[in-house]
């Protein structure tokens, strides 16, 4: 009976050792996974801030492009008007030379 009790105690000690090892391993794994999650959350926050900034930049640049398009359209209109006046001036000068 004493031998059996000694064997049971030995088995319990081995099992406790195994459990302690597993608990330690699980705790370490849990810490690593928690750190990974925190790192990923920080990265997500950083990327979301970057997305917001880039979205704002895109909006500002789109507005700037629209303003440039409007300015270019106005400049083109002015150039066409000046071209027409210049052609008329050249035509009038040519007619004046012919008349002289």
């Amino acid at each position: 009976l004493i031998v059996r009790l000694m064997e049971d105690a030995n088995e319990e000690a081995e099992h406790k050792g195994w459990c302690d090892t597993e608990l330690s391993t699980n705790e370490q794994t849990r810490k690593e996974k928690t750190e990974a999650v925190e790192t990923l959350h920080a990265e997500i926050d950083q990327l979301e801030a970057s997305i917001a900034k880039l979205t704002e930049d895109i909006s500002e640049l789109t507005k700037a492009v629209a303003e440039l398009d409007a300015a270019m359209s106005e400049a083109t209109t002015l150039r066409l008007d000046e071209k027409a006046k210049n052609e008329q001036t050249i035509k009038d000068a040519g007619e004046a030379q012919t008349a002289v």
Side-chain angles (χ1 to χ4, degrees):
L1 183 63
I2 292 176
V3 172
R4 182 157 189 239
L5 287 174
M6 296 284 280
E7 288 175 355
D8 285 346
N10 214 10
E11 287 177 13
E12 284 292 322
E14 286 178 16
H15 187 67
K16 182 180 182 329
W18 179 82
C19 285
D20 290 343
T21 302
E22 288 298 311
L23 285 173
S24 175
T25 302
N26 288 341
E27 184 178 350
Q28 181 63 31
T29 302
R30 196 168 39 252
K31 282 181 185 178
E32 291 171 359
K33 300 292 182 182
T34 300
E35 288 174 5
V37 167
E38 289 172 357
T39 301
L40 291 172
H41 280 299
E43 188 176 344
I44 287 171
D45 291 342
Q46 181 182 10
L47 291 173
E48 285 176 344
S50 178
I51 287 171
K53 174 71 172 119
L54 291 173
T55 301
E56 183 180 324
D57 289 348
I58 287 172
S59 176
E60 290 173 5
L61 291 172
T62 301
K63 182 180 175 184
V65 167
E67 290 172 358
L68 287 173
D69 284 345
M72 189 172 69
S73 176
E74 183 179 339
T76 300
T77 302
L78 288 174
R79 282 190 202 104
L80 290 175
D81 289 345
E82 289 174 1
K83 181 182 178 185
K85 287 179 186 176
N86 189 32
E87 288 176 350
Q88 184 61 40
T89 302
I90 292 171
K91 180 181 173 191
D92 291 345
E95 289 175 359
Q97 274 185 341
T98 305
V100 173

